[in-house]
Amino acid sequence: MIEKRTQESILQGLLFGVFAAIANLFLSIPIYGALSLSWGMGLCIYVLISFGIRASIITLAFSIISMYILDQSLADIGISLAEFITIAYLIHKRFFVVIASLCFWLFIGSPLFWLYLNSFSSAGNSQEFSFIFAAMQGLNGLFNSSLAALLYLLTPTRWISERINLVNKSLSSNIFALSALTLILPLVTISFVLVSTASMRNEEQLIKILRAQATSVSLATERFIDEHYAFVNQLARTLSRISDEDARKNILVDAQSNYPNFYNLTFIRSDGYTSFFAPTKYNEEVKNLPENLRFVDDRNYFIHARDKKTPFISNAMMSRGIIAAPMIAMSSPIIIDGEFEGALLGAMNLQFITKLHERMKSSLLTDYVIITDKEDRVIYASSPTNLNNLEKHVVNIGKSKFTPDFPVLSINGKNHPYHLAKNSFDWKIYIIKQPAELVQLFSHHILVLAATVVSIILLFLFIAHKLAKQITAPLVKLLKNSSESYISNFENTQGATSSQEINEVAAKLRKSHNLLRDFEGQLQQQVTEKTTQLEQMNLQLAAQAREDGLTQLLNRSGFDEIAYNAIKTNQRLHQPISLALIDIDHFKLINDSYGHLVGDECLKAFAELMQDNCKRETDIIGRYGGEEFIILMSGKDVRSHHQLIHNIRLQTQNMLLNFKDLQTPVKFTISIGICSLLGNSLLSLHEVINIADEELYKCKHNGRNQLSIVTIDAE
């Protein structure tokens, strides 16, 4: 008999071991990057609770071998072994398998993953992703244990090991297990779906931000160079019309003082001799230089102006002579009566890029920028990159197992998200964000989701435990008070849901069917009431997640969800749509001057003003972040939309807010960017928001307290 059981255990272990290996190797579901949903360990746990420890050890061996084939780290394998041993021990102590898994991942598994990634892992950004990865591994573990419990309940009783069947379980533990399983498995599954969807959506948003920032820097540098380039050309033409040498010198001095980004403007004779510098202080210093250093007939900027008689812009280069500094040389020929009489040189120190970047930092929201010329020499690089001017920039494309589809650069051993743009001079502009930006793609949703899932599970388990005790308390009391004379012949039944109390009640109270039916009705009613309460709690949690706590308007995610469906509906019905992006002007000044409490009251007052004006069911209002609000209007015509927003702006301008601690009322204005769609326009929500944001930027740039409108007609 013992030999037969051993053979059965080996066969069961081999069969499910093959399934576990296949599940790990081929059936894992990617969630995002290195995060994937695998259930090989779930089969190991299922074999443990259904067929015993011997069969499960064989299944575990196959699962571990498949993990090794997949080149998973020893830490992953070690934590999987620890998970199996811990769950086996807790099940032996009569823990429900899902509770055993929850205890392991809360107190052992996730902390160990976090510690390993922070202390021992050498993968780029592993420390930043440590908490996220540990949380997702915990959710994966809960999914596996819930899957194992579900398979156990669906397995025919005759297939389950006799020793497992002989273990009587109390009615309260069965009710508790079924209630917990009903919630946890779908909750964890839905969590994975939400994480995957939210992460991809946030990644797309970050790519758009990087692209916009790279374009902004590209245009800024291009405008800056074009302005100075045009100045050099105009100044050369002016010098071509003036023959008096003193007049030329005075013009050069005045020009350099007006354009200080040129650290010198130099007049070069036709033979390549630098005859005059502005500012004039360099002329005295040049006298001490050897004669040959005053000739530039070997420099491209002079050769080009002399031979082709056209303006020229150099790549990044090192100046020589008095000042040795990285520069960009702009030259233009001086032509008199069709003859080349010399050239004008404008030497621009690359330090101007640093000043330009400093002015743009507040709008770029990033400290990492690399700009190279068309030969990949560094024109400018943020200090954290450790690159020097004129150094050859070798692009090191990083590989992140956490975000394999996101473009990253490896800088100082860390993977940084980036975007590359080029301007008309073939300069390459790399906009690089810190690794924390990658983490933010996942962290907000995953951390909130993990905390919510754990909180709901713990709350539900507490409710299920109390409910199970309340349901079984009358039976236990009745059993204790029953007379032995009521016991009749009864054959105990065994099964996955059998319990000690049920067997005893059936043996002692066979003749009390009516009482049992009444009790079952009461049980059903209590379960229904508790289920209804939990559904209401879930609805309340969902509503709170979409609402801004301060203004009671929709928050950003809530607005995006509703507005996305609204835009799709209106596009299908060919109805006009307008989206207004509103920003309170100089709101930071209100907070700094009066305090954040006054600032919060201003936000609430403005939210109420918008609600008073936007009363149609089709008007969707949200707080999009900080002092930024958003309104989506549909139906009627766009002129009525524009009039509504215009009224809101005027009412805001005339609104006075009185506070008892302030002698004068507080007032503020707003700037508004509006994008209206006509006809069959198929722009997405995020594209419409980006257009409205550009119009809002125009308002701010033109003095604020105004609105800017763009109307798009696909026809």
Side-chain angles (χ1 to χ4, degrees), residues 579-593:
L579 186 141
L581 200 58
I582 306 171
D583 189 85
I584 297 178
D585 296 330
H586 304 298
F587 185 73
K588 184 178 184 300
L589 183 60
I590 295 176
N591 280 335
D592 293 343
S593 302

Side-chain angles (χ1 to χ4, degrees), residues 31 119 211 215 268 465 497 503 556:
I31 299 174
S119 304
R211 184 183 297 118
T215 302
I268 307 171
H465 174 73
T497 58
N503 289 329
R556 185 172 190 148

Side-chain angles (χ1 to χ4, degrees), residues 221-231 313 330 424-425:
T221 55
E222 189 171 313
R223 285 195 299 267
F224 191 90
I225 296 298
D226 278 340
E227 176 187 351
H228 289 75
Y229 184 53
F231 170 74
I313 297 179
M330 300 179 182
S424 60
F425 307 108

Side-chain angles (χ1 to χ4, degrees), residues 270 297 299-310 333 335 340 342-343:
S270 59
D297 52 349
R299 301 291 253 183
N300 286 336
Y301 53 80
F302 176 77
I303 295 172
H304 184 97
R306 181 191 63 193
D307 296 344
K308 296 187 177 181
K309 298 182 176 58
T310 58
I335 308 296
F340 176 75

Side-chain angles (χ1 to χ4, degrees), residues 250-530:
N250 292 333
I251 290 174
L252 281 181
V253 172
D254 291 339
Q256 193 280 329
S257 64
N258 291 328
Y259 282 81
N261 288 306
F262 291 115
Y263 66 80
N264 72 62
L265 291 171
T266 307
F267 180 79
I268 307 171
R269 294 188 326 209
S270 59
D271 60 355
Y273 185 82
T274 54
S275 64
F276 182 78
F277 289 83
T280 56
K281 63 180 181 179
Y282 294 132
N283 291 290
E284 294 297 323
E285 298 176 15
V286 168
K287 293 179 180 179
N288 299 322
L289 292 177
E291 187 71 7
N292 64 315
L293 289 181
R294 300 197 62 179
F295 282 87
V296 294
D297 52 349
D298 61 333
R299 301 291 253 183
N300 286 336
Y301 53 80
F302 176 77
I303 295 172
H304 184 97
R306 181 191 63 193
D307 296 344
K308 296 187 177 181
K309 298 182 176 58
T310 58
F312 176 80
I313 297 179
S314 74
N315 291 323
M317 59 187 298
M318 181 65 72
S319 64
R320 69 188 183 191
I322 301 173
I323 301 176
M327 73 168 185
I328 295 171
M330 300 179 182
S331 64
S332 185
I334 297 176
I335 308 296
I336 300 177
D337 296 330
E339 295 295 325
F340 176 75
E341 296 295 330
L344 174 65
L345 167 66
M348 182 175 290
N349 195 318
L350 292 186
Q351 190 66 24
F352 81 90
I353 299 288
T354 302
K355 299 176 182 177
L356 184 63
H357 182 219
E358 289 295 329
R359 293 201 299 269
M360 300 182 68
K361 268 188 179 180
S362 60
S363 59
L364 287 178
L365 300 178
T366 179
D367 290 331
Y368 289 76
V369 174
I370 299 175
I371 302 176
T372 64
D373 62 17
K374 60 184 179 182
E375 295 180 0
D376 292 323
R377 286 193 295 267
V378 175
I379 294 176
Y380 171 79
S382 301
S383 56
T385 62
N386 295 325
L387 295 174
N388 298 317
N389 285 342
L390 303 185
E391 178 181 342
K392 192 76 170 180
H393 178 229
V394 179
V395 178
N396 187 9
I397 303 298
K399 293 184 179 179
S400 172
K401 71 174 185 176
F402 300 102
T403 54
D405 298 326
F406 201 100
V408 293
L409 283 179
S410 180
I411 301 176
N412 301 325
K414 296 291 185 180
N415 290 321
H416 297 69
Y418 82 102
H419 185 77
L420 171 64
K422 291 185 179 181
N423 63 18
S424 60
F425 307 108
D426 281 336
W427 289 9
K428 298 175 183 177
I429 291 89
Y430 299 84
I431 293 294
I432 305 167
K433 287 193 174 292
Q434 299 186 15
E437 295 287 342
L438 282 173
V439 181
Q440 290 174 5
L441 288 175
F442 311 92
S443 60
H444 177 71
H445 291 282
I446 292 179
L447 298 184
V448 172
L449 186 63
T452 303
V453 168
V454 172
S455 300
I456 292 176
I457 288 175
L458 294 176
L459 176 62
F460 189 90
L461 292 179
F462 174 76
I463 294 174
H465 174 73
K466 298 293 290 185
L467 177 62
K469 290 295 184 182
Q470 291 176 4
I471 292 173
T472 57
L475 279 176
V476 174
K477 183 177 180 180
L478 186 60
L479 283 172
K480 290 181 179 179
N481 296 330
S482 296
S483 172
E484 292 295 325
S485 60
Y486 287 97
I487 300 177
S488 59
N489 294 328
F490 175 73
E491 182 179 355
N492 288 347
T493 60
Q494 304 293 341
T497 58
S498 64
S499 67
Q500 180 180 354
E501 291 87 351
I502 289 294
N503 289 329
E504 292 177 7
V505 169
K508 294 182 179 181
L509 303 176
R510 179 181 286 268
K511 298 180 181 180
S512 303
H513 295 297
N514 292 333
L515 177 62
L516 183 58
R517 291 194 187 97
D518 293 340
F519 179 75
E520 289 176 349
Q522 179 185 357
L523 170 63
Q524 184 62 40
Q525 182 180 356
Q526 291 185 26
V527 172
T528 301
E529 291 175 353
K530 296 297 182 182

